[in-house]
Amino acid sequence: MDEHQLIEMLREGDPLSFEILFQQYYVRFYNFVRNLIKDSHNAEDIVQNVFMKVWINRKNLHPDQSIHNYIYVLTKHEVLNHIRDRRAYVQVERLIISDHTSPSITDETFLFRELDERIRCFIAAMPEQRRKVFMLSRYRGMSNKEIALTLGLSVRTVDRHINLALASLRKEFMNNMGV
């Protein structure tokens, strides 16, 4: 079966085509990720997420597109997200450790935590799709095109969700500050 046929069958939701794709590319991309991050468990999670995204977004595949390149780009983004998330986790961990070793919390730290909590509550109250788009944009650093591909939306819809989220966030905080 050639790549063009494989993509067509994937687009139609054929589970056998996904199994063929998985068997053909999984080991190659697993080894690629494992060599990059030096962690077999996380490499497995990353590559499984990539293949899950391929299946979820299969209708967006183009028959003339290289499936290998498509998987490579998704894998690269997943690895970058993993590294970014890991760095953020380490920074938070260091902050928590330093908070426990410090006898007092500064006013600045308290204000930062209060602001962070308000922002988290505001984001949690957003409509589900807008919240997903906003989180992928602002917390994962994904481009609007990547978000559109991941969530199966148009780039225009992603733009609209981000603009609405930012406008309402701005309004919320301007109102609370008495501006």
Side-chain angles (χ1 to χ4, degrees), residues 78-95:
E78 284 292 314
V79 168
L80 292 174
N81 289 338
H82 168 77
I83 291 168
R84 190 177 316 119
D85 291 348
R86 182 67 190 141
R87 283 184 185 151
Y89 176 79
V90 168
Q91 288 172 348
V92 168
E93 204 171 55
R94 286 180 184 155
L95 180 63

Side-chain angles (χ1 to χ4, degrees), residues 10-165:
L10 274 170
R11 286 174 51 92
E12 293 170 7
D14 178 49
L16 179 61
S17 64
F18 182 75
E19 187 176 327
I20 291 168
L21 180 79
F22 189 85
Q23 289 175 359
Q24 190 171 0
Y25 290 105
Y26 180 84
V27 172
R28 182 181 315 168
F29 282 98
Y30 168 78
N31 289 332
F32 171 68
V33 173
R34 192 188 65 210
N35 287 332
L36 286 174
I37 66 171
K38 310 296 186 221
D39 180 339
S40 60
H41 178 71
N42 282 322
E44 188 174 320
D45 287 346
I46 288 169
V47 177
Q48 286 177 359
N49 284 341
V50 166
F51 279 94
M52 180 183 67
K53 286 181 179 183
V54 169
W55 180 253
I56 290 170
N57 296 302
R58 66 189 177 275
K59 292 190 187 294
N60 297 330
L61 293 172
H62 299 285
D64 299 327
Q65 165 182 32
S66 164
I67 193 72
H68 178 272
N69 290 347
Y70 179 74
I71 295 171
Y72 174 77
V73 169
L74 284 177
T75 303
K76 182 181 80 167
H77 290 298
E78 284 292 314
V79 168
L80 292 174
N81 289 338
H82 168 77
I83 291 168
R84 190 177 316 119
D85 291 348
R86 182 67 190 141
R87 283 184 185 151
Y89 176 79
V90 168
Q91 288 172 348
V92 168
E93 204 171 55
R94 286 180 184 155
L95 180 63
I96 290 169
I97 289 169
S98 70
D99 279 353
H100 288 296
T101 58
S102 171
S104 65
I105 298 175
T106 65
D107 288 342
E108 193 174 289
T109 304
F110 178 76
L111 289 174
F112 174 78
R113 285 184 179 166
E114 186 178 304
L115 178 61
D116 184 57
E117 182 59 30
R118 285 180 58 205
I119 292 171
R120 287 179 190 277
C121 288
F122 182 79
I123 291 170
M126 287 180 184
E128 182 181 358
Q129 191 75 306
R130 187 172 307 154
R131 182 177 57 248
K132 285 179 187 177
V133 168
F134 188 77
M135 295 292 287
L136 291 173
S137 171
R138 294 312 192 251
Y139 288 90
R140 288 278 185 111
M142 292 173 74
S143 72
N144 291 4
K145 189 174 181 181
E146 293 168 336
I147 295 168
L149 180 64
T150 301
L151 297 178
L153 302 171
S154 72
V155 174
R156 210 172 242 241
T157 301
V158 170
D159 289 339
R160 181 84 174 127
H161 278 299
I162 291 173
N163 288 334
L164 287 171

